[in-house]
Amino acid sequence: MIDVEIRDDMVRLGQFLKLAGVLDTGGEIKSLIASGDVDVNDEVETRRGRQLHRGDVVSLGSHKWRVA
């Protein structure tokens, strides 16, 4: 699991995936999230605007990132 530091108390899922370096563009991230391949805290998430807070875990396949 990789810890990804955020500056504020909250970050949106789409922004977090870009910050973590998962994909380069917002369009790619939007499609990825809409496909249902992204989990937040072990639940499928299809909203790129989902608010994430420190300690939340985002996973894509066998890759995991924690909001830190």
Side-chain angles (χ1 to χ4, degrees):
M1 184 176 312
I2 299 170
D3 285 336
V4 178
E5 297 284 332
I6 61 171
R7 287 183 281 171
D8 299 319
D9 293 332
M10 179 274 305
V11 65
R12 304 224 181 256
L13 178 58
Q15 294 170 326
F16 180 77
L17 290 173
K18 194 168 183 180
L19 181 64
V22 176
L23 293 172
D24 294 328
T25 69
E28 291 174 320
I29 289 171
K30 181 179 179 180
S31 295
L32 179 69
I33 294 170
S35 71
D37 292 332
V38 177
D39 290 351
V40 175
N41 299 328
D42 294 322
E43 293 183 10
V44 174
E45 184 56 68
T46 57
R47 300 170 295 161
R48 70 178 179 170
R50 160 82 183 260
Q51 293 184 4
L52 302 176
H53 302 277
R54 286 181 177 82
D56 286 339
V57 175
V58 177
S59 56
L60 173 63
S62 62
H63 302 284
K64 291 187 178 201
W65 301 269
R66 180 175 36 223
V67 181

